[in-house]
Structure formats: structure tokens, C-alpha cells
Amino acid sequence: MSANHRPSGQPTTPSDALRESAFLKACRREPVPHTPVWFMRQAGRSLPEYRKVREGIPMLESCMRPDLVTEITLQPVRRHHVDAAVYFSDIVVPLKAIGVDLDIKPGVGPVVERPIRTRDDLAQLRDLTPDDVAYVTEAIGMLTGELGATPLIGFAGAPFTLASYLVEGGPSRNHEHTKALMYGDPQLWADLLDRLAEITSAFLKVQIEAGASAVQLFDSWVGALAPADYRRSVMPASRKVFEAVAGYGVPRIHFGVGTGELLGLMGEAGADVVGVDWRVPMDEAARRVGPGRALQGNLDPAVLFATPEAVAAKTDEVLAAAAGLEGHIFNLGHGVLPDTNPDALTRLVDHVHTRTSR
Amino acid sequence: MSANHRPSGQPTTPSDALRESAFLKACRREPVPHTPVWFMRQAGRSLPEYRKVREGIPMLESCMRPDLVTEITLQPVRRHHVDAAVYFSDIVVPLKAIGVDLDIKPGVGPVVERPIRTRDDLAQLRDLTPDDVAYVTEAIGMLTGELGATPLIGFAGAPFTLASYLVEGGPSRNHEHTKALMYGDPQLWADLLDRLAEITSAFLKVQIEAGASAVQLFDSWVGALAPADYRRSVMPASRKVFEAVAGYGVPRIHFGVGTGELLGLMGEAGADVVGVDWRVPMDEAARRVGPGRALQGNLDPAVLFATPEAVAAKTDEVLAAAAGLEGHIFNLGHGVLPDTNPDALTRLVDHVHTRTSR
């Protein structure tokens, strides 16, 4: 069954074909037939078919219905011919699953009923078991059947970003309470992040055991920190998550926004692939991350609002900067913006495939 | 009158004392008696006396009343003993002054009635004359009388940030329309930024001629751009502003948030002092900016929500990283957050002065 024992270089079984997909090859820094493409938040509000199936169904409910998750996850694969699917969920799903009283409010984001700011508040965070997220196992089982040789990326929010929601009680521009806790009570902070690392690890294991071919750890807000604070107060927990899933051998991607100063450390934390936002050119990002890791990125999602010619030109700039990389997965520098014209995304996938076909 | 002709090293007149203030010396990279401190948004909602005088008065109206501007500008100088006052205004004031239909909505920010997206829309942007902002000249006249040897910093929004408000029609998280215009119609974009550079230059000249001892050009949102785009699409307009006021010999400060990748270019644009947010340590910022410019920064404003001990420790980290700089003005890495305890700011000024007294 292993790729090493095939007589020719061609995949012969579905699992071979999956293993030899452009996306997984790029993650492993092997030569690829074309640069693989997927988009963060590719399954979402930019698609009319998404808005249709979500109509009247609250976000958290839609994350818990395997039929809906499967349909929504497949939509962008069908429409855009991206090289990977990303599991449709939200980073607060595992917290909800262990009983944290939270909701996702439209136009606001996750709102937590009782923010975590004292040691007693930690009691809200019990262990996550596979039974807490049986709908995830079920949905991934359905998805891998449908996806065939297209890899499915599982994901979770990283401890810092989850902590920010829990401590602030919701989305925050400045993370005042989070940083007050981080700087003011380092031991409580470390214990909180360690709990979140356990929960996140358990959640990623469920996804991998159900069939996810790769995982992405989103540390959306960690770009709010300086490198010394990241190293001291965040990296140990993120590293714990990466180590917990190392044994499965699936590629581990790590991404955050505004993390130019942190790229090297985020790789060191244990990522096989480091995601880069659009502020740092890919060649400079490669210099910061160092050898031995693939990179993912980094077209500015706002570029997709410009003319098709401008999009093509900016895409070519990204490809040129990434030309010397050991492994490159094309993506946006952040999630697809809700008002993006989906046709611009379809064209973009085609453009990258055409330009990079070998 | 010149400091060079004084027989002793001590200032002998009010204008000598101003010229020899710690703030202006640090801007000129001369030895200082202590590291000077001021805070972006030091005059603002963190102060109860500010909230009191603003009660019932809309933001734009308060910016146009010289008595109020004077009182509000002086409040943090009296309370915190900062080393410089910063003129109380808003970056959209010069746009309002030339007749752009906009308002500052509480809890939202500047809202522009007719966003600028076509060549015809440029007609909204006529030249600014001193008569358009007579209240600025009057307020600065009153302020310099009150401030004596304490320098007054004038300020303006930089062309990119003003353009973002004008093109989006208000505050924007992703600047989609702005970037669509910048990438999609480079000539219209360049003309828009050039118009804004003219207006901004005229507005800064009014402030300097009225008595401002330094100016800060705020490019609040420019951190949303990659270096190549900054160099191509923004730097020419910012450079035009800095050149327009070069002849006055007052220090020119340049600041933006999330600008780690842009620090060198922002200095090259013509700044004498480059402001640094908290994501890049001061010594690394100095390396990026290069010799011949002072630096300003960079305590994370969220740190002020932590315990006094944590604030002191983080402040000492900033001072240690800045110890080798040619010129250092202590500031936060962004504006004072509205819920900041003003006592924490007063303690911070005292701490920096005590730690750095020579």
C-alpha cells in the first residue's frame, strides 16, 4: 500500500492518490505537478449556495449538523476546484462542546457568557472527549467518502486566540483583559493556556482519526503580541498541541494575521507549514522561517475586489516571490472576505494552476 | 538668541528653554537629561476632566472651539507631567474644513457622505487655506502662551489613511475599496493621494506657523500594506508632505500601527522620528530604520491594564531595548485606550523620568 512499494510513479489506489495529491506533496516539500491552492474561509458567505443552505440556521447549529457541514465543506471544492477542502466549523466549537456558555452572534462573533479571569473560572474548561463531538467524526466520515483524492484539512483555534475570546468575553480589538492577565498573573495564564492546549489537541485528534489529511492551527489574534511575549507566554502551549498530534504524520499548518515578527517562532513551535499574511513577501517569509518547512500564502484578500487584470498581476507577484520555496501552498493572506465575488476566486485557482503547471 | 551663542550651557529665554526641552533634544538625537515621554491620544477619554468638558459637545464641534481645544490639550500636561503636548484634533478636521461632507459618529468614527471612487469625486477635494482653519491658528496661539517651555506637537493624518476613510466612506477593517482603487486604477489613486498630500501639507504649515514645535504625520492604517505597495503607491505622497514642511526645521514624526515591515521606508519618506508600535522591539526597529533618525515608542497600551508591577517591568523592557538608540522618545505603541486608568499613565511618566534621569 505504501507509495514506496509501487512499481511505477503513478498512484494506484484512492489512498495513494490522496497521498500523492499536490497539496500533501507541497506540505511535504516534494515536487508538485502544480502549486496547490485553497482559501481560508473558502466555505462561507462569499458563496450564494452557502448563504442558501445556512438560511435561518444559526452558525453553531450548522457546525453540529453533519449533513450541513458536509455540504458546506464540499461547495467550494465543486465550484472553485481548489486542491483541498477545509472542514467547516468555528474555532469556538470545541469550547461549546465541553459546555462553555457561548454563542456566535451574527455581525459580532463569539460571545462568552462568563469570561474567564480568575482561577475559579478555569473550572469551566473540562477535558474534551470524542463523544462530545460525535458530529465531527460523522461529518468527516461522510466527507472523506465524497472527497476521494482531495485532502481534507481539519482545524482548531490555537490556545492564545481561544484564551482571548474566553478572557475578553468576545471579539476584542485590543485584547486588554487578555494581556492584563498574561502580564499580571503569569501562572494563571500558563494554566489557562495549558488547559486550552489539552482541549485543542483532543479536538484535532478526533478530526485526524476520523480522516483529516492535514490540520491547521489558527492563532488568529497572536499577531497582537511582540516576539518575546509570544515565546514566553504562548509558544509552550502551541508546541504542546503540535507535539500531541505529531505521531499521526499528517502535515501541521500554523497561521496567524500580522505575524511578520513571529514567523520563525511559529515554525519552531512545531509547524510543518507556516501560513503567511500578505504583509511579508514570501521570499522574506522563507528567510524568517528557515529551511525544513513549507509556506502557505499570501495574496491580500482585498486584492480580489480589484480588476481581473490587477488580481492576475498581484497573483504573479506572489508566485514570483514564492518561486524558490521548498514547498508552497497558494492561499490568501487571511480568510475570504464575505463580499468577495466567487468568480474571482474560481479564476484565481485556474490562474495559479495554469501558471505553475509543470 | 541661538543656543550656540549662550556663554553657559543653561537656557536663558523661554524660546531657548523650549528649544532645549528634553523632547526636542531627543528628536534631534542630542543628549537628554531624561527620556522624554508623551502619549498618543493623551488628551482624550481616559481623563475624567476630558469627559466633563466634552459633555454634550460633538467631536468635530469640539475640534473647532479654540477654548476647548486649549483646555483639552493642556489637561494631560497638567495631570501627567508629560514632556510634550499634542494638539487636540482629529485627522478628518482638514477634510471637514474644505467642505467634505463628513461627521464623526460616536462609537463608529468618521463617516463620509459621498465616498470618493471616481475621478469626478476628486472635485470634493479643494485646496486648504489658513482661513479654513482659523480656529487652529487661534488655539495654537493660546496654547503656546500657556505651555511655555513645553513643546506642542501638531499633527495630521497621512494621505493613505485619509484616502482610506474617503474611499471606504468610513472606518474599515479590510480596506477593500481602497485597495481595489489602488490596484485597479493606479493613476486615479496617485492623483487622489497627491491632492491629499497638498491638503495635509497646508494643514501642517498652518500649525507650524502658529507655533507648533514638531509635527506628527499619522498613517494609522498603512500597516495594511506590503512594503512593495507602500513604496509604489503611498510613499511618494507621504514624502511630498514631509518635503513641504522641511524648511521650517521642526522635527517631523511619522507613525503607523502594524508597520514592522515598513519602518525603514517610513523613515526614508522623510521622517526625523519614526514611531514604532509594540510588535517590534526598539533595538530591532533601530536596525530597520537605520542611523540618522530618532525613534518613538513603544509600550503596548494594553499593558496599562495589568498590575503596576507588570507595567513597571514591561516599561523597563522597553527602556532596555531602547538604551542604545541615538534618540528615544518614550510613547505607547498606539493611542491611549479609552478605559485606561489615568493614574497608571501618571505613574508611567514618573517611572520613565526616574529610571532615565542622568
Side-chain angles (χ1 to χ4, degrees):
Chain A
M1 291 291 283
S2 153
N4 298 327
H5 298 101
R6 280 184 285 105
S8 89
Q10 294 310 308
T12 51
T13 71
S15 70
D16 276 345
L18 176 60
R19 194 182 306 114
E20 300 298 309
S21 64
F23 171 78
L24 289 176
K25 277 176 168 278
C27 289
R28 296 191 303 259
R29 294 170 287 118
E30 294 169 8
V32 286
H34 61 262
T35 298
V37 188
W38 71 282
F39 304 123
M40 293 181 280
R41 237 180 269 148
Q42 62 188 15
R45 278 189 285 158
S46 64
L47 300 182
E49 59 268 36
Y50 169 84
R51 296 194 298 267
K52 186 148 181 284
V53 299
R54 272 289 313 281
E55 222 165 77
I57 305 173
M59 179 63 187
L60 278 174
E61 186 187 329
S62 68
C63 295
M64 290 186 243
R65 284 178 43 178
D67 57 332
L68 259 184
V69 168
T70 301
E71 167 58 21
I72 292 172
T73 301
L74 291 172
Q75 285 175 349
V77 181
R78 286 188 207 120
R79 183 191 265 261
H80 301 313
H81 309 295
V82 284
D83 293 273
V86 58
Y87 185 75
F88 176 73
S89 185
D90 185 276
I91 62 168
V92 298
V93 160
L95 301 177
K96 181 78 181 173
I98 59 166
V100 175
D101 189 359
L102 61 82
D103 198 7
I104 299 177
K105 301 231 159 114
V108 178
V111 176
V112 178
E113 189 58 31
R114 291 185 298 137
I116 293 186
R117 296 184 189 169
T118 68
R119 186 157 290 281
D120 286 348
D121 295 332
L122 281 186
Q124 289 185 53
L125 302 177
R126 69 160 171 84
D127 285 342
L128 180 135
T129 71
D131 288 345
D132 293 319
V133 287
Y135 47 88
V136 173
T137 301
E138 191 184 341
I140 292 184
M142 291 163 72
L143 273 167
T144 50
E146 296 275 346
L147 283 166
T150 302
L152 175 69
I153 305 169
F155 84 88
F160 174 82
T161 293
L162 294 178
S164 170
Y165 283 114
L166 289 170
V167 176
E168 302 292 336
S172 166
R173 201 182 148 91
N174 301 302
H175 313 281
E176 296 96 316
H177 298 292
T178 311
K179 289 177 176 176
L181 180 61
M182 187 174 101
Y183 295 127
D185 192 342
Q187 190 56 55
L188 175 55
W189 172 259
D191 293 347
L192 168 61
L193 259 72
D194 193 68
R195 288 296 304 126
L196 292 168
E198 298 271 6
I199 293 161
T200 298
S201 301
F203 188 57
L204 288 177
K205 284 180 184 176
V206 167
Q207 295 178 64
I208 298 169
E209 290 182 3
S213 297
V215 288
Q216 175 155 321
L217 190 66
F218 276 94
D219 214 348
S220 313
W221 307 138
V222 79
L225 297 183
D229 294 317
Y230 178 85
R231 185 188 284 280
R232 184 165 41 204
S233 307
V234 174
M235 199 169 163
S238 296
R239 174 172 280 146
K240 183 169 180 166
V241 175
F242 285 123
E243 284 176 357
V245 297
Y248 294 100
V250 302
R252 298 160 297 173
I253 313 171
H254 198 15
F255 174 76
V257 184
T259 47
E261 311 305 321
L262 307 179
L263 290 172
L265 295 171
M266 290 174 75
E268 268 186 60
D272 302 300
V273 182
V274 176
V276 183
D277 89 0
W278 66 90
R279 291 172 179 87
V280 181
M282 291 304 277
D283 46 357
E284 171 60 18
R287 200 189 61 73
R288 294 185 194 181
V289 170
R293 303 183 205 278
L295 295 186
Q296 177 173 283
N298 74 344
L299 185 72
D300 184 347
V303 166
L304 291 162
F305 289 75
T307 56
E309 296 71 29
V311 177
K314 297 300 290 181
T315 302
D316 289 344
E317 283 183 24
V318 170
L319 292 174
L325 265 52
E326 286 186 73
H328 177 217
I329 296 130
F330 190 94
N331 204 318
L332 303 179
H334 196 182
V336 172
L337 297 170
D339 294 332
T340 304
N341 177 351
D343 293 343
L345 292 167
T346 307
R347 273 195 303 269
L348 176 54
V349 175
D350 184 57
H351 182 86
V352 174
H353 284 168
T354 306
R355 272 285 194 283
T356 61
S357 279
R358 274 141 212 144
Chain B
M1 290 291 283
S2 154
N4 299 326
H5 298 100
R6 280 183 285 105
S8 90
Q10 293 311 305
T12 52
T13 73
S15 70
D16 276 346
L18 177 59
R19 194 182 306 113
E20 299 298 308
S21 64
F23 170 78
L24 289 175
K25 276 174 168 277
C27 289
R28 296 191 302 260
R29 293 170 288 119
E30 294 169 8
V32 286
H34 61 262
T35 298
V37 187
W38 72 282
F39 304 122
M40 293 181 282
R41 236 179 269 148
Q42 64 188 15
R45 277 189 286 158
S46 65
L47 300 182
E49 59 268 34
Y50 170 84
R51 297 193 297 266
K52 186 147 180 285
V53 299
R54 273 286 316 280
E55 222 165 78
I57 305 173
M59 178 64 185
L60 278 173
E61 186 188 328
S62 68
C63 295
M64 291 187 244
R65 285 179 42 179
D67 57 330
L68 258 184
V69 169
T70 302
E71 167 58 21
I72 292 172
T73 301
L74 291 172
Q75 284 174 349
V77 181
R78 286 188 207 119
R79 184 192 265 262
H80 301 314
H81 310 295
V82 284
D83 293 272
V86 58
Y87 184 75
F88 176 74
S89 186
D90 186 275
I91 62 167
V92 297
V93 161
L95 301 177
K96 182 77 181 175
I98 59 166
V100 175
D101 190 0
L102 61 81
D103 198 9
I104 299 176
K105 301 233 159 112
V108 178
V111 176
V112 178
E113 189 58 30
R114 290 185 299 138
I116 292 185
R117 294 183 190 170
T118 68
R119 186 157 291 279
D120 285 348
D121 296 333
L122 280 186
Q124 290 185 53
L125 302 177
R126 70 160 171 83
D127 284 341
L128 180 135
T129 71
D131 288 345
D132 293 319
V133 287
Y135 48 87
V136 173
T137 302
E138 191 184 340
I140 292 183
M142 291 163 69
L143 273 167
T144 50
E146 296 275 347
L147 283 165
T150 302
L152 175 68
I153 305 169
F155 84 89
F160 175 81
T161 294
L162 294 178
S164 170
Y165 283 115
L166 289 170
V167 177
E168 302 292 337
S172 165
R173 200 183 148 92
N174 300 303
H175 313 281
E176 294 98 315
H177 299 291
T178 310
K179 289 178 176 175
L181 180 62
M182 185 174 101
Y183 296 127
D185 192 343
Q187 190 54 56
L188 175 55
W189 173 259
D191 292 347
L192 169 61
L193 259 70
D194 193 68
R195 288 297 305 126
L196 292 169
E198 299 271 6
I199 294 161
T200 299
S201 301
F203 188 56
L204 288 177
K205 283 179 184 176
V206 168
Q207 295 178 63
I208 297 168
E209 291 183 3
S213 296
V215 288
Q216 175 155 322
L217 190 66
F218 276 93
D219 215 349
S220 313
W221 306 137
V222 80
L225 296 183
D229 294 316
Y230 178 85
R231 185 188 285 278
R232 185 163 42 204
S233 307
V234 174
M235 199 169 164
S238 296
R239 174 173 280 148
K240 183 170 181 166
V241 176
F242 285 123
E243 283 175 358
V245 297
Y248 294 101
V250 303
R252 298 160 298 173
I253 314 171
H254 199 12
F255 174 77
V257 184
T259 48
E261 310 305 320
L262 307 179
L263 290 172
L265 295 172
M266 290 174 76
E268 267 185 60
D272 303 300
V273 182
V274 176
V276 183
D277 90 358
W278 66 91
R279 292 172 178 86
V280 182
M282 291 304 275
D283 45 357
E284 170 61 17
R287 199 189 61 73
R288 294 185 194 181
V289 170
R293 303 183 204 278
L295 294 185
Q296 176 174 285
N298 74 345
L299 185 72
D300 184 346
V303 166
L304 291 162
F305 290 74
T307 56
E309 296 71 29
V311 177
K314 296 300 289 181
T315 303
D316 290 344
E317 283 182 25
V318 170
L319 293 173
L325 265 51
E326 286 186 72
H328 178 218
I329 296 131
F330 189 96
N331 204 320
L332 303 179
H334 195 182
V336 172
L337 296 170
D339 294 333
T340 305
N341 178 351
D343 293 344
L345 292 167
T346 308
R347 273 196 302 271
L348 175 54
V349 175
D350 184 58
H351 183 86
V352 173
H353 284 168
T354 305
R355 272 284 196 281
T356 61
S357 279
R358 274 140 211 144

